[in-house]
């Protein structure tokens, strides 16, 4: 009896230990399973977050590639830039980033795969964000280069237009716009200065033409001799009180004067009785 009791006690202890062990293993497995489930759930959530962030970064990049600001920057021509290389850099980046990249989905059934997908998505999100930043910087460099070129052109026009404008206010406006580095204001002011230069040039040309015409008229008037006038005195007419008849003929008003009381003698003479047919304006047939 004692032996059976000892055997029963030992067997009971073993059985109890086995039960405890089995229960412990079952609890451990259940804990591990629950932990794995939680880890997978967290990994799946992390993957979904990373996927959303990658899609958002991609969308922002696409919107900028299709946006007005990039289009305006790419539309700038090289001759309007202080540094044309900025435009070349922008064109290369825009072409490179427009190719896009496939974004993987979060369809993993285990934590390890989910975590790997999350890492890949995070790398894509970081890449798109960096590409967008570089693209914006390149576009900004183009606009800055255009502003530098505009300022340079404004400075040149301001210097070269001194004394050549009809309205000095246009140059003062240009100076103020350059100091403010306002690109649109500089362009508008340059248009006003050029218009003022054209107006002064036209006015100067018209004044010069008038002066030349007046000088030419004066020179012509000085070089043309005054016409000589002649008078005809009929034969037998008296030249004055107390004088006898004299021979008729033409007398020049520009001839030399005779003696006091006498008639003026012509610079040339004609016969006393001229042939009427030889007189000016006489038709011999009449």
């Amino acid at each position: 009896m004692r032996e059976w009791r000892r055997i029963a006690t030992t067997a009971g202890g073993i059985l109890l230990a086995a039960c405890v062990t089995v229960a412990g293993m079952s609890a451990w497995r259940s804990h591990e399973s629950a932990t794995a489930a939680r880890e997978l759930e967290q990994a799946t959530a992390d993957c979904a977050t990373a996927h959303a962030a990658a899609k958002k970064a991609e969308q922002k990049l696409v919107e900028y590639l299709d946006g007005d600001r990039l289009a305006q920057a790419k539309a700038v021509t090289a001759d309007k830039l202080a540094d044309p290389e900025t435009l070349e850099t922008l064109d290369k980046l825009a072409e490179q980033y427009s190719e896009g990249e496939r974004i993987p989905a979060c369809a993993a059934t285990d934590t390890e795969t989910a975590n790997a997908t999350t890492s890949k998505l995070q790398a894509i999100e970081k890449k798109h964000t960096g590409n967008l930043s570089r693209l914006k910087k390149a576009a900004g460099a183009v606009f800055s280069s255009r502003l530098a070129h505009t300022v340079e052109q404004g400075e040149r026009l301001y210097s070269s237009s001194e004394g050549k404008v009809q309205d000095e206010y246009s140059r003062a406006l240009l100076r103020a716009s350059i100091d403010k580095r306002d690109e649109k204001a500089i362009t508008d002011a340059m248009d006003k200065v050029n218009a003022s230069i054209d107006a002064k040039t036209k006015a100067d040309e018209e004044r010069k033409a008038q002066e030349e015409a007046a000088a030419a008229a004066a020179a012509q008037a000085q070089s043309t001799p005054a016409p000589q006038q002649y008078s005809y005195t009929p034969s037998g007419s008296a030249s004055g009180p107390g004088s006898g008849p004299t021979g008729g003929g033409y007398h020049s008003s520009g001839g030399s004067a005779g003696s006091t009381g006498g008639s003026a003698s012509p610079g040339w003479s004609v016969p006393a009785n001229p042939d009427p047919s030889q007189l000016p304006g006489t038709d011999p047939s009449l």
Side-chain angles (χ1 to χ4, degrees), residues 1-12:
M1 290 295 295
R2 291 177 181 174
E3 185 66 22
W4 282 107
R5 287 178 182 176
R6 185 177 62 80
I7 294 174
T9 300
T10 302

Side-chain angles (χ1 to χ4, degrees), residues 204-278:
D204 291 344
E205 290 176 350
E206 291 177 351
R207 182 172 61 254
K208 183 179 180 181
Q210 293 174 356
E211 292 174 352
E212 290 177 350
Q220 184 177 6
Q222 291 177 359
S223 63
T224 303
Q228 194 170 18
Q229 298 180 353
Y230 302 94
S231 63
Y232 177 75
T233 303
S235 177
S237 64
S239 61
S243 63
T246 62
Y250 285 98
H251 302 276
S252 171
S253 61
S256 59
S259 59
T260 304
S263 61
S265 61
W268 45 270
S269 62
V270 297
N273 297 312
D275 185 356
S277 65
Q278 300 300 317

